[in-house]
Amino acid sequence: MADRREPPPSTDEDSDREDLFTDNGKKVKQAPSDGSRTSAKSLIEEKISPDSGCETGTVESFVGDSEVRSKELREVGSFLAEPPRSASSTTDGSKGDEAAAAAASLNAEDDPANVIEILVSDPKRVGDGMNAYVVYKVTTRTNVKFFRSCEMSVSRRFSDFLGLHERLVEMHQCRGRVVPQPPEKNVLGMTKVKMTKDETSSLDFVEKRRAALERFLNRIARHPDLREDRYFIDFLEVDDDLPKSSTTSALSSAGIARLFGKVGESINKMAFAMSEPDQWFEDKQEQIEALDRELKQLHASLEILVIHRRELSLNIGQFAKSIAVLGSAEENMALSKALSSLAEIETKVEQLTADQADTDFYVLSELVKDYISLIQSVKDTLNERVKLYRVWKDDETTLAKKREAKAKLEQQRKMDKVDQADQEISEWEEKVTKSQESFEEISRNIRKELAFFERQKARDFKATVVNYLQTMMNHQQQLATYWESFVPEAKLIA
């Protein structure tokens, strides 16, 4: 990692700076865990040393939270007891090894002594005008042994999160790892935050980004390999400046270079038709493409639903005001009182409908959007496999040409050049072997990654759908209570 700069000295002004944005979002933490309370406590106490600064109360609370989540996760279903296997796994020994490794990974996900929980909170605007930026507090609670402490907090800005993503992609995507994507840059939304003095107008944008950054970090923390990356660990526990992303600017040179690079990759993909040697990957590719289409259609429908429900909330509010005005003008006291009560209830219904629109967006729509970006990460990882396949086949083509050249030299009896040709053939044989091994290695890793992706998708969607349905039922029950309370008053109208 690049040398860190010394952090600026803290001042009273910094410590007294008030939050410009409040954290009103509700967070559903998901920390895989399993086991009884007694065993979980003993495991955590083994991981957290007495001198680590963790109080006993903190450990008790940590174990309690883990056990609640453990109970929820054990309800996911018996299909999570073992990872998915390909159709040919029963006849291929290597596939059996992959299944065993995936099962071990699943056990690690559910281990209560292997928990990392991350909270992104307290967004603050620093500076004025176009030089302003938002700083977030990143708090980590963990019992994993490779962290310095069981609880730590650091300050990070958006470019730090992008820098973390770039580093993980650079180090792990080429090896077949699926790296979650951070929220997209939003020039318009951030310009509004920088220039406006009305904090409430930009609160929605900041809250959406805060929640998305929190989900981004927690997805990395749940990955069995990415969570051990040294840069990720430093990101969570070293309160110091980190190398910034080179693509935060809308028109940065690195961003333009990346754009041209993607265009070049797209042209290469169209020019190179991969003859897929593994039917499993071909089937998975089709499944991923179908899932991508379906999730995008679902997300578009959810966006329309949110818009319509928010419009309904506004219309109900206008209706409530009209009823209130009518009630104040009515001479019949019983009818006037009933209309005033109806206006109050409609105002409550307006707020309830707005709350449901927020639930549609923050609970369901954002999860679908996250998985659309995750599928793009899966596609990027699969493209890395295609690149290695192309390198392997290009090396084989070059090796075949070298052998043909040697055969021509022997036919022409140019024996003085045969030795050099033999040496070149040996070098290219070694390159072919290495490129083939790299291709096989990334294929194995991607199999594990896709199994992990499917498990996490099942868990995330189950937890989200259950939460969404419970919220909807609570809203409907509250709505019924409102109208039941109005019925007796309506009957008193004479």
Side-chain angles (χ1 to χ4, degrees):
M1 194 175 104
D3 294 338
R4 303 190 191 93
R5 296 171 295 192
E6 289 298 323
S10 60
T11 63
D12 293 338
E13 181 182 355
D14 292 333
S15 61
D16 294 337
R17 185 187 293 119
E18 297 181 355
D19 290 358
L20 296 178
F21 307 102
T22 57
D23 179 10
N24 296 324
K26 293 183 180 179
K27 174 174 178 286
V28 181
K29 297 181 180 178
Q30 298 176 343
S33 56
D34 196 6
S36 64
R37 180 176 179 81
T38 303
S39 60
K41 178 182 177 182
S42 61
L43 284 169
I44 292 176
E45 289 177 340
E46 288 178 6
K47 296 295 181 183
I48 303 177
S49 60
D51 58 348
S52 63
C54 300
E55 299 177 359
T56 305
T58 302
V59 176
E60 290 284 354
S61 175
F62 191 57
V63 175
D65 294 342
S66 298
E67 289 307 311
V68 171
R69 285 183 296 275
S70 174
K71 182 178 179 181
E72 295 174 352
L73 290 174
R74 284 196 297 270
E75 296 175 355
V76 172
S78 59
F79 66 93
L80 291 176
E82 60 181 22
R85 295 178 296 177
S86 64
S88 60
S89 61
T90 56
T91 59
D92 190 344
S94 62
K95 306 290 178 59
D97 294 339
E98 293 167 15
S105 174
L106 179 60
N107 293 333
E109 296 163 29
D110 292 336
D111 187 358
N114 195 29
V115 177
I116 303 176
E117 293 180 347
I118 304 171
L119 175 67
V120 178
S121 61
D122 302 337
K124 299 177 183 178
R125 185 172 60 193
V126 179
D128 296 316
M130 292 305 295
N131 292 325
Y133 57 91
V134 178
V135 173
Y136 304 86
K137 180 182 179 182
V138 180
T139 303
T140 306
R141 298 176 65 208
T142 182
N143 55 355
V144 178
K145 60 183 179 181
F146 48 72
F147 284 94
R148 299 176 183 175
S149 175
C150 64
E151 186 165 352
M152 63 213 86
S153 295
V154 295
S155 296
R156 296 285 180 252
R157 55 186 295 186
F158 184 65
S159 59
D160 294 327
F161 290 88
L162 296 184
L164 170 64
H165 176 256
E166 288 180 6
R167 165 74 179 188
L168 294 178
V169 167
E170 178 185 353
M171 296 299 296
H172 296 279
Q173 187 169 283
C174 60
R175 301 176 184 175
R177 309 298 181 198
V178 177
V179 180
Q181 295 193 12
E184 298 175 349
K185 295 187 290 291
N186 188 323
V187 178
L188 181 60
M190 198 58 211
T191 301
K192 188 176 180 181
V193 172
K194 292 178 178 181
M195 301 305 296
T196 184
K197 293 183 179 179
D198 182 11
E199 299 156 13
T200 57
S201 63
S202 55
L203 176 61
D204 187 52
F205 168 78
V206 173
E207 170 56 23
K208 289 178 183 178
R209 174 170 282 188
R210 181 210 62 78
L213 292 173
E214 183 174 280
R215 295 193 301 270
F216 165 65
L217 291 181
N218 279 289
R219 290 192 189 283
I220 296 174
R222 292 190 313 196
H223 194 285
D225 296 309
L226 300 182
R227 62 172 14 205
E228 297 182 3
D229 184 272
R230 185 68 253 174
Y231 194 92
F232 177 61
I233 296 172
D234 287 346
F235 181 92
L236 296 179
E237 66 181 10
V238 178
D239 197 3
D240 199 352
D241 289 341
L242 299 173
K244 298 295 187 294
S245 167
S246 59
T247 60
T248 51
S249 175
L251 296 175
S252 64
S253 58
I256 295 174
R258 183 190 294 259
L259 177 62
F260 280 108
K262 288 184 177 180
V263 172
E265 287 183 6
S266 300
I267 294 174
N268 288 334
K269 287 170 67 176
M270 290 186 290
F272 175 74
M274 177 179 178
S275 177
E276 180 58 65
D278 192 330
Q279 184 63 37
W280 186 90
F281 276 97
E282 188 171 340
D283 294 340
K284 280 295 178 182
Q285 186 75 39
E286 294 177 358
Q287 293 173 12
I288 290 168
E289 292 291 345
L291 179 61
D292 189 26
R293 290 192 302 270
E294 292 163 2
L295 287 178
K296 287 178 178 177
Q297 292 176 0
L298 175 59
H299 186 255
S301 300
L302 285 170
E303 285 185 324
I304 296 173
L305 174 63
V306 171
I307 292 172
H308 286 177
R309 210 184 294 267
R310 285 176 176 167
E311 289 178 350
L312 176 61
S313 175
L314 293 175
N315 291 333
I316 292 174
Q318 292 296 328
F319 175 70
K321 292 177 182 178
S322 299
I323 290 292
V325 172
L326 178 62
S328 63
E330 177 59 48
E331 294 182 358
N332 185 318
M333 294 301 297
L335 179 57
S336 176
K337 185 178 179 180
L339 290 174
S340 297
S341 298
L342 177 61
E344 293 177 1
I345 291 175
E346 289 291 355
T347 301
K348 294 178 181 179
V349 174
E350 174 194 5
Q351 183 58 49
L352 201 62
T353 306
D355 292 342
Q356 183 60 52
D358 289 340
T359 301
D360 295 337
F361 180 82
Y362 287 107
V363 175
L364 196 55
S365 180
E366 287 293 88
L367 174 73
V368 175
K369 185 177 179 181
D370 283 352
Y371 267 89
I372 291 173
S373 67
L374 271 174
I375 288 175
Q376 183 58 50
S377 297
V378 171
K379 291 181 178 180
D380 292 341
T381 304
L382 288 171
N383 189 44
E384 293 294 328
R385 178 175 175 270
V386 174
K387 291 179 184 178
L388 289 181
Y389 180 83
R390 183 174 185 177
V391 170
W392 174 27
K393 293 304 174 183
D394 287 346
D395 289 347
E396 284 186 336
T397 300
T398 304
L399 176 59
K401 291 180 179 179
K402 294 293 182 182
R403 287 172 174 167
E404 291 176 1
K406 178 190 173 183
K408 290 180 180 179
L409 291 174
E410 290 176 341
Q411 290 176 358
Q412 297 171 1
R413 299 187 180 278
K414 296 181 179 180
M415 306 307 295
D416 55 326
K417 296 183 179 181
V418 170
D419 291 339
Q420 182 181 354
D422 283 333
Q423 183 178 355
E424 291 178 355
I425 289 174
S426 298
E427 292 175 355
W428 279 100
E429 284 176 343
E430 185 176 352
K431 288 183 180 180
V432 168
T433 301
K434 288 182 178 180
S435 57
Q436 181 179 0
E437 290 174 351
S438 297
F439 175 76
E440 292 173 351
E441 180 183 5
I442 196 173
S443 298
R444 289 192 298 269
N445 289 339
I446 290 177
R447 282 177 177 270
K448 297 175 187 177
E449 288 292 302
L450 292 180
F452 178 80
F453 172 81
E454 291 295 335
R455 291 195 303 273
Q456 292 300 323
K457 178 164 63 71
R459 290 183 173 188
D460 286 347
F461 272 87
K462 183 202 170 176
T464 299
V465 169
V466 169
N467 182 21
Y468 181 75
L469 292 177
Q470 289 176 341
T471 304
M472 283 197 67
M473 288 189 294
N474 292 337
H475 287 165
Q476 294 301 318
Q477 290 171 359
Q478 189 64 51
L479 187 63
T481 302
Y482 291 156
W483 292 120
E484 287 173 357
S485 66
F486 176 71
V487 171
E489 194 162 352
K491 290 181 178 179
L492 293 177
I493 300 175

